Structure formats: C-alpha cells, structure tokens
C-alpha cells in the first residue's frame, strides 16, 4: 500500500529581548548559573509577573510576517506540570486565546511553491536547564522565564525535505525580523516534529508520534525519515501506531520512546490570575506593520527584477540577511551584480564555510572587497590569484593591494613579457605543438595551461593565448 506522509512542526523561538518575559532579569547567554534569577522567575510567593512589552512586540512582528491574524483579545494561562527545571511548577503560556492565529509560510520546492499553514503562534516562558552529572543533576534557572514564541504549523508538510525547507525559511524570516538568534546549538531555536502516515487519498489523519530532542535541521530531517520507515513497517505488518513522544538518538540514528500519550500529563490549564486578559489596539499592530523589514521573499523578487540575478543566485543571497546586506553594500560601490554575486556565492562562501564563520564576522570591509573585485575585473590579477588574495584577506584583514604587492601577484598582460615563456613552452612540448598544427584545437589550451604554470599563475590567459597562437602560426615555417 502507498502511504501519504503527514507532518506538523512546533518551533520554539527564543525572543531576543534584553530582559525576561515577566521580570527584569537579564537574558544574556553564557553567564554563571543562577545569577540571572529573581523572585518572579523563581516563582516565590507574593511576586507578580509583568509582561515584557518587547516580547509582545516581537511576537506580533512574527505573527504579521507569517500572515496570521493578530488576536485583539489575548491572555496568558498556566500550564501546570512538575519538573525540576520549572521552579513555579507551572509555565506561563497561552492556551485558548493565543497571540496569533491562522497564517502561512510559503516554501520553495524544486518545481513549485507550497503554502504551509500556520495554525497558531503564542507567547510563553522558557524553563530552566538541567545539567546531568554522574549520579546527580544540577539546575540553572538563568533560562527560566526567557520569552519564547511557539509557532505551530498545520499538518501540511508532506516529507522530511519539506520540513527542512520550512525550517530554513522560518529561520530566515526570524533573522530578518531580528527577533531571534536562531542558534540551535544554544537552544534559541528548537523544533518538535509530529508525524503520521495514512493510506494515499485517505481523509482522516493517522495516529501521530511526536519527535523531540532534534538538535539541528538535519536531525529533524533524519529523524522524520527514520520514523516514516518505522511507522510504515508497523502498518504493513498489520500493527497499529502507538501515540507517543519519541526521542531522537542522533548517534544511534533511531528514535526511542519517552512517554506514551496514555500516561501523558494533564496540564490543567487555567487563566493566569496575575496577568489579566488584554486588548491589543489596532494602532499598535499597524505601527509594528509599518516598520516590518523587507522579508527574504520580497527581497529575492527585488534582486531578480532590479539587478537581473538568477533565481538561484538570488535565493542563496537572500537566505542570509547579512549576506544580502553585504551584497547590496558592495553593489552600491561597484554596480556589477553578477560579478559580485559570483564572488559571494563562490569563493567568499567557501572561505566562510571552511572557517565555520558568518559574514558578520568578516575581518575586512566592503571597500576592501570592492578593491579585490576591481583588481580581477580589470584583469590586473588572475582569478586564481584573486582567490589567494581573498584567503589572505580573511586570514589577516590586510588590503588586497598590500597582499598583491607582497606576494607579487600582479598579472602579466604584456605580450612582450610573455613571449619568452611562450617560446620555452613551445620548445618543451613538441607533441602538443605538432597536434595543434595538425588541427587539434584542444592542444592550444594545454599550451596556455603550461604558460600559466611557468608564470606561476601570473600570465593573463587571454594574452598568453594570443601570443601562443601567433608563435604557432610561424612555428615550423622558419624551421
Ligand atoms: P498535541 O495536542 O499532541 O500537541 P496538536 O493538535 O497541538 O497536538 O498538534 C501539534 C502539531 O502536530 C501540529 O503542528 C499539528 O499540525 C501536528 N499534527 C496534529 N495531528 C497530526 C497527525 N495526525 N499527523 C501529523 N501531524 C499532526
Ligand atoms: Mg503540542
Ligand atoms: Zn527574574
């Protein structure tokens, strides 16, 4: 039987506010354990929460960017459960009146664009962090109370690849909105994946499992692929799927059961009595809408229309806000879009990836980058030399002119200077020379390569080719 895959994702995005969701504690990452906690986020009796307006604003920003309806009347609720990382024994969350409802996010697949429905987005607070050591566990409450936005999709995702694309697109949007760092390693972006199978064409949803402990987008994709296989095998052998929460074991590449739904807790949601329901005024929503930044999708369209970039190139450049910014900043100084995009997508991305570095931490300026492009564009250095210069620029931050001088990389475009080398190459490669004379045009490229080699990459290949051609015309005639 053919099965259809049904996936829904729940993403928790840590909102990049300076202080926590309901108190004034700092949210700074990496501080000493329990130095960022107070009676409010530790739930001491008598302490009262106050909503962080920035967190609300960020939540509205995301809701708008995901085409959701921002709810006029919204409120907070207590989600009760007992766990050592939760000092209050309840989490302040939103239950039946969430901040945002009913939006969508468009993802790009190979042949088509697909809308993934957004079921809801709501604000809540993070829990603390447990650190397990030997026979005991420690708890750090610095994270307890940091604002989160939980973004829940409709079950519209049909494959692990689509899930991956959704996450890439969502991350880009959150970064553009400047509301979340989206660093999965630091836990500022987290994802739970729900998945079920159903016979092709069936209306009803199958029984789902929920996958947790997914520490990267790749883990989400791998875990879903694994789970599809596992569920399929069960269904094909006539067994039923147990609704349960599974943990992904990255190194073992399999899932294992954490808890079944039967024993799942009843959260006993009820309205948070210390935070009354409130109305968000239209003017507030409009004011936030008015200053929303240009989002990746719109930016991509503009790059294609305005600068003639290909769909592919534009897609890569807008995928990272900092890269898009760098592109436009370079373009302002040097209006050659294709050249710039080639260098950004090719050599510069290569340098950054190999250093595991982001473009924001580049050690040279846009101006320096423009100098490099100018040198190549005016054929004063070869493409090969330019790549070497770029590597040096990334290493030391030195200007391209200085590097070119130090390494003596200026390209030889003077025909006279190249003649001597061409003579040597012709003399040393009789077979290729004869091949060329007998009509094998390919042999010329080999000889050009030899000139490049002898000149240590400094010969201008175009000039070298002309010089060689001229010499070969004559060759054999004088002999
Ligand atoms: P729960 O109450 O278990 O948290 P929800 O109804 O809140 O479940 O849905 C959580 C997520 O799971 C949503 O993204 C939703 O789209 C998805 N989902 C719900 N039912 C299914 C299903 N049968 N198969 C796959 N995904 C599902
Ligand atoms: Mg849920
Ligand atoms: Zn606090």
């Amino acid at each position: 039987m053919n099965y259809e895959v049904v996936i829904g994702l729940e993403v928790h995005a840590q909102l990049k506010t300076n202080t926590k969701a309901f108190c004034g504690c700092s949210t700074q990452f990496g501080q000493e354990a329990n130095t960022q906690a107070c009676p409010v986020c530790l739930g001491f009796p008598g302490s009262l929460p106050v909503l962080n307006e920035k967190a609300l604003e960020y939540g509205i920003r995301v809701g708008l960017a995901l085409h959701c309806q921002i709810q006029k009347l919204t409120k907070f609720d207590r989600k009760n459960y007992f766990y050592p990382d939760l000092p209050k024994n309840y989490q302040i969350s939103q239950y039946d009146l969430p901040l945002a409802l009913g939006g969508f996010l468009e993802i790009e697949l190979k042949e088509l664009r697909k809308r993934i429905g957004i079921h809801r987005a709501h604000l809540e607070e993070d829990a603390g962090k447990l650190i397990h050591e030997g026979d005991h566990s420690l708890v750090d409450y610095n994270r307890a109370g940091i604002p989160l936005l939980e973004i829940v999709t409709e079950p519209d995702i049909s494959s692990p690849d689509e899930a991956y694309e959704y996450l890439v697109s969502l991350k880009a949007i959150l970064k553009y909105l400047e509301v979340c760092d989206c660093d999965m390693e630091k836990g500022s972006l987290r994802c739970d994946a729900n998945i079920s199978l159903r016979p092709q064409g069936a209306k009803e949803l199958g029984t789902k499992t929920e996958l947790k402990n997914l520490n990267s987008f790749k883990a989400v994709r791998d875990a879903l692929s694994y789970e599809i296989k596992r569920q399929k095998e069960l269904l094909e052998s006539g067994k039923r799927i147990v609704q349960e929460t599974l943990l992904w074991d990255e190194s073992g590449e399999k899932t294992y059961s954490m808890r079944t739904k039967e024993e799942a807790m009843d959260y006993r949601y009820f309205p948070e009595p210390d935070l009354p329901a409130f109305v968000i005024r239209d003017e507030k929503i409009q004011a936030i809408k008015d200053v929303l930044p240009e989002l990746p999708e719109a930016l991509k369209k503009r790059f294609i229309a305005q600068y003639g970039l290909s769909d592919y190139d534009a897609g890569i450049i807008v995928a990272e806000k900092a890269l898009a910014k760098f592109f436009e900043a370079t373009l302002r100084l040097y209006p050659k879009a294709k050249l710039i995009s080639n260098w950004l997508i090719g050599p510069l991305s290569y340098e950054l990836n190999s250093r595991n570095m982001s473009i924001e931490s580049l050690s040279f300026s846009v101006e320096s980058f423009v100098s490099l492009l100018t040198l190549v564009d005016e054929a004063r250095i070869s493409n090969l030399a330019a790549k070497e210069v770029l590597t040096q620029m990334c290493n030391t931050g030195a200007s391209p002119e200085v590097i070119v001088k130090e390494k003596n990389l200026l390209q030889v475009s003077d025909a006279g200077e190249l003649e001597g080398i061409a003579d040597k190459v012709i003399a040393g490669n009789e077979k290729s020379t004869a091949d060329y004379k007998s009509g094998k045009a390919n042999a010329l490229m080999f000889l050009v390569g030899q000139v490049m080699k002898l000149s240590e990459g400094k010969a201008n290949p175009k000039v070298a080719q002309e010089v060689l051609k001229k010499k070969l015309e004559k060759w054999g005639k004088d002999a």
Side-chain angles (χ1 to χ4, degrees), residues 20 23 25 37-38 41:
K20 291 186 181 179
C23 65
C25 288
C38 74
C41 54

Side-chain angles (χ1 to χ4, degrees), residues 217-318:
F217 292 177
K218 182 179 171 295
V220 174
R221 185 162 59 190
D222 292 348
L224 285 170
S225 298
Y226 172 87
E227 188 59 13
I228 290 171
K229 245 180 47 206
R230 192 190 70 90
Q231 289 192 11
K232 204 182 240 172
E233 277 167 21
L234 281 173
L235 292 171
E236 273 168 357
S237 61
K239 299 199 177 94
R240 61 181 198 95
I241 307 296
V242 181
Q243 180 166 345
E244 60 186 339
T245 302
L246 301 167
L247 290 183
W248 174 239
D249 170 11
E250 181 129 41
S251 50
E253 292 187 357
K254 58 190 169 68
T255 52
Y256 57 94
S257 183
M258 180 167 123
R259 57 170 182 252
T260 56
K261 211 66 185 180
E262 280 80 32
E263 46 189 81
M265 29 202 143
D266 170 6
Y267 292 121
R268 212 167 44 90
Y269 277 101
F270 63 84
E272 165 63 69
D274 295 335
L275 291 163
F278 60 100
V279 170
I280 305 172
R281 283 178 300 116
D282 286 337
E283 297 84 57
K284 184 180 181 80
I285 297 172
Q286 191 57 46
I288 294 172
K289 208 182 232 168
D290 287 343
V291 295
L292 277 187
E294 199 175 14
L295 293 171
E297 201 188 313
L299 193 61
K300 181 176 165 185
K301 282 201 187 116
R302 182 162 71 76
F303 278 5
I304 293 172
Q306 195 174 341
Y307 306 131
L309 289 190
S310 70
D311 190 84
Y312 177 81
D313 290 0
I316 293 184
I317 291 178
V318 306

Side-chain angles (χ1 to χ4, degrees), residues 10 45 50 79 86 128 143 147 169 183 192 215 226 229 238 247 253 276 370 377 392 404 418 468:
E10 295 165 279
V50 178
K79 180 179 181 179
L86 194 71
R143 210 178 68 179
S169 302
D183 188 338
D192 300 334
N215 295 322
Y226 172 87
K229 245 180 47 206
L247 290 183
E253 292 187 357
V370 168
D377 207 21
Q392 284 304 315
V404 164
L418 290 180
L468 274 170

Side-chain angles (χ1 to χ4, degrees), residues 350-395:
Y350 172 81
E351 295 292 338
L352 292 172
N353 290 341
S354 63
R355 291 171 170 78
N356 202 8
M357 212 171 100
S358 99
I359 194 156
E360 285 141 307
S361 41
L362 267 189
S363 50
F364 56 84
S365 62
V366 172
E367 286 76 11
S368 266
F369 187 60
V370 168
S371 305
L372 174 68
L373 295 182
T374 314
L375 284 167
V376 199
D377 207 21
E378 293 175 353
R380 289 170 51 215
I381 59 176
S382 68
N383 248 309
L384 201 70
K387 284 182 191 159
E388 196 183 329
V389 173
L390 185 65
T391 307
Q392 284 304 315
M393 289 165 69
C394 291
N395 287 344

Side-chain angles (χ1 to χ4, degrees), residues 409-452:
L409 290 171
L410 272 191
Q411 184 156 268
V412 182
S413 299
D414 181 61
E417 273 185 63
L418 290 180
E419 284 195 2
I421 299 180
D423 285 335
K424 270 189 209 155
V425 165
I426 290 174
N429 292 280
E430 259 174 56
K431 171 137 191 337
S432 299
T433 307
D435 281 353
Y436 178 73
K437 292 301 283 188
S438 69
K440 286 186 188 155
N442 278 347
L444 183 63
M445 291 332 288
F446 173 78
L447 294 171
V448 171
Q450 295 306 304
V451 172
M452 296 306 294

Side-chain angles (χ1 to χ4, degrees), residues 140-154:
D140 176 5
Y141 289 123
N142 284 356
R143 210 178 68 179
I146 289 186
L148 300 176
L149 189 71
E150 177 170 341
I151 304 159
V152 183
T153 72
E154 295 294 349

Side-chain angles (χ1 to χ4, degrees), residues 75-145:
K75 76 167 163 63
F76 287 95
D77 301 274
R78 290 187 180 181
K79 180 179 181 179
N80 301 275
Y81 65 98
F82 177 81
Y83 207 65
D85 64 5
L86 194 71
K88 296 199 290 269
N89 286 343
Y90 62 82
Q91 176 193 30
I92 303 181
S93 181
Q94 297 196 285
Y95 186 52
D96 53 342
L97 292 174
L99 181 62
L101 278 172
F104 65 86
L105 187 159
E106 253 180 13
I107 59 170
E108 235 170 288
L109 305 167
K110 272 187 207 90
E111 298 289 310
L112 70 154
R113 300 175 66 78
K114 179 173 173 182
R115 268 188 190 189
I116 307 297
I118 302 294
H119 178 57
R120 60 185 273 162
H122 69 254
L123 290 166
E124 58 184 33
E125 57 176 339
D126 210 344
K129 198 175 168 185
L130 288 174
I131 301 137
H132 306 289
E133 281 182 358
D135 65 348
H136 61 277
S137 295
L138 301 166
V139 59
D140 176 5
Y141 289 123
N142 284 356
R143 210 178 68 179

Side-chain angles (χ1 to χ4, degrees), residues 6-10 152-155 194-196 205-206 208 210 261:
V6 178
I7 297 168
L9 298 179
E10 295 165 279
V152 183
T153 72
E154 295 294 349
N194 300 268
I195 176 164
S196 64
L205 290 174
K208 75 176 165 92
E210 180 168 357
K261 211 66 185 180

